[in-house]
Amino acid sequence: MKNFISIDDVDDPISMVEKVFEIKRAPLADTTIGRGKVLGLVFFNSSLRTRMSTTRAAYNLGMNVIVLNVSSDSWQLEFEDGAIMDQGAVEHVKEAVPVMTSYCDILGVRSFPGLENRDKDYQEEVLHSFVKNARCPVINLESSTLHPLQSLTDLFTIEERKQSEKPKVVLTWAPHPKSLPQSVANSFAQWMKKTDYDFTIVQPKGLELPEQFTRGAKIECHQEKALAGADFLYVKNWSSYHNYGAREDHPEWTITSEKLALTNSAKVMHCLPVRRNVVIADDVIDGANSIVVEQAENRLYAAQAVLKEILKNQQK
Ligand code: SN0
């Protein structure tokens, strides 16, 4: 694996999941493959799980880590070609990224969408300028449209816990006080489509995700109907793709114990952070069906599997 930008960098998602199983069975089986190497983690946005799990994953492989919080600790970057830099941005990505890669052997980058200009966000300007200017592999730590480290984790978590060959997996929209990216949901849909699960996405009418990621999935707009018989319930808010970035208020879409009762005692998943009693009710998150903490733990093994594949490729 050269970069980890999207599912397209993975030859076979299921064999990648096998590698995550191997790591989870023995996380410290290979503590020298990354010796002398440095992972740079560049954050344009907040992070808890991604930062900590990817750092720990690197340590388990013998790497060191440098974290840069661009928005608070570094110079403001310019991305536009030919920009006359007489405003806020201090440094162009054309210098900044090659310089970063002269100190690092792998670079991870997180950059959320602005949620104002759909074309701009869906062109993935920040992520692509990192890939273009980096002289080392790049890992997507959640970009404007995708979050593949989360999705690999999610697929692994379902494979680890499924009780039937083809579980019914439902991705349901849920309310949120802010406009959020579509990235987690887009990416989850993209990875689910590579499986033979019975996969449904349910959202209020008008909040459909972009077809490029959901084509082939069952798409519903009646939540209760979609929840019937679900084995896994993936709960997530996203803002509108069609009325780009708009937040919609549908308080009746919160996942409560009454909704959970409609499922086949579904395992409840969420990428976290989660707004309790808005997205998911307390008794569901605190209840026996919730696997959100175990799911987050699996971020470590997924990140470690990805780093290991990239390190192995560098040894060639
Ligand atoms: C991000 C998102 O893409 O939905 C990151 C999830 C891994 N979530 C948020 O930004 C939540 C912010 C909030 O105010 O709850």
Side-chain angles (χ1 to χ4, degrees), residues 67-241:
V67 177
L68 185 69
N69 299 308
V70 184
S71 310
S72 53
D73 303 348
S74 184
W75 304 112
Q76 193 183 325
L77 295 184
E78 177 63 59
F79 291 90
E80 205 178 299
D81 247 349
I84 298 169
M85 291 174 55
D86 59 357
Q87 301 293 317
V90 178
E91 176 162 20
H92 204 283
V93 73
K94 285 184 181 174
E95 291 83 53
V97 172
V99 168
M100 288 176 196
T101 61
S102 67
Y103 311 140
C104 299
D105 303 280
I106 302 176
L107 212 53
V109 59
R110 161 164 288 191
S111 170
F112 290 175
L115 294 177
E116 282 172 8
N117 180 332
R118 186 168 87 180
D119 289 344
K120 195 164 184 281
D121 287 346
Y122 274 73
Q123 278 161 16
E124 293 280 17
E125 183 186 45
V126 175
L127 181 65
H128 288 154
S129 33
F130 269 73
V131 174
K132 186 170 162 202
N133 290 291
R135 296 172 185 165
C136 72
V138 175
I139 299 180
N140 182 348
L141 306 175
E142 187 174 345
S143 65
S144 295
T145 68
L146 293 170
H147 193 358
L149 274 179
Q150 182 68 50
S151 311
L152 171 59
T153 305
D154 298 337
L155 175 57
F156 170 76
T157 303
I158 295 173
E159 282 293 301
E160 189 182 35
R161 282 160 192 275
K162 71 180 188 184
Q163 288 178 352
S164 59
E165 202 43 47
K166 296 178 184 175
K168 176 169 178 180
V169 178
V170 178
L171 167 62
T172 179
W173 184 92
H176 199 282
K178 280 177 29 189
S179 279
L180 295 189
Q182 292 107 33
S183 315
V184 170
N186 282 343
S187 205
F188 185 70
Q190 206 178 30
W191 284 69
M192 286 300 108
K193 278 173 29 198
K194 297 277 182 180
T195 69
D196 52 10
Y197 302 163
D198 176 1
F199 177 52
T200 302
I201 306 172
V202 63
Q203 74 293 298
K205 219 172 172 28
L207 281 170
E208 290 82 2
L209 293 163
E211 223 198 317
Q212 65 182 111
F213 300 117
T214 62
R215 203 172 295 122
K218 275 185 243 167
I219 302 182
E220 298 262 4
C221 52
H222 299 289
Q223 192 186 39
E224 301 194 346
K225 191 175 148 211
L227 296 188
D231 300 303
F232 290 89
L233 192 54
Y234 200 103
V235 190
K236 184 69 184 87
N237 169 271
W238 57 86
S239 61
S240 175
Y241 173 74

Side-chain angles (χ1 to χ4, degrees), residues 2-17:
K2 188 174 178 306
N3 296 306
F4 187 70
I5 299 306
S6 79
I7 197 165
D8 298 333
D9 295 303
V10 177
D11 293 334
D12 173 12
I14 295 294
S15 67
M16 193 64 210
V17 164

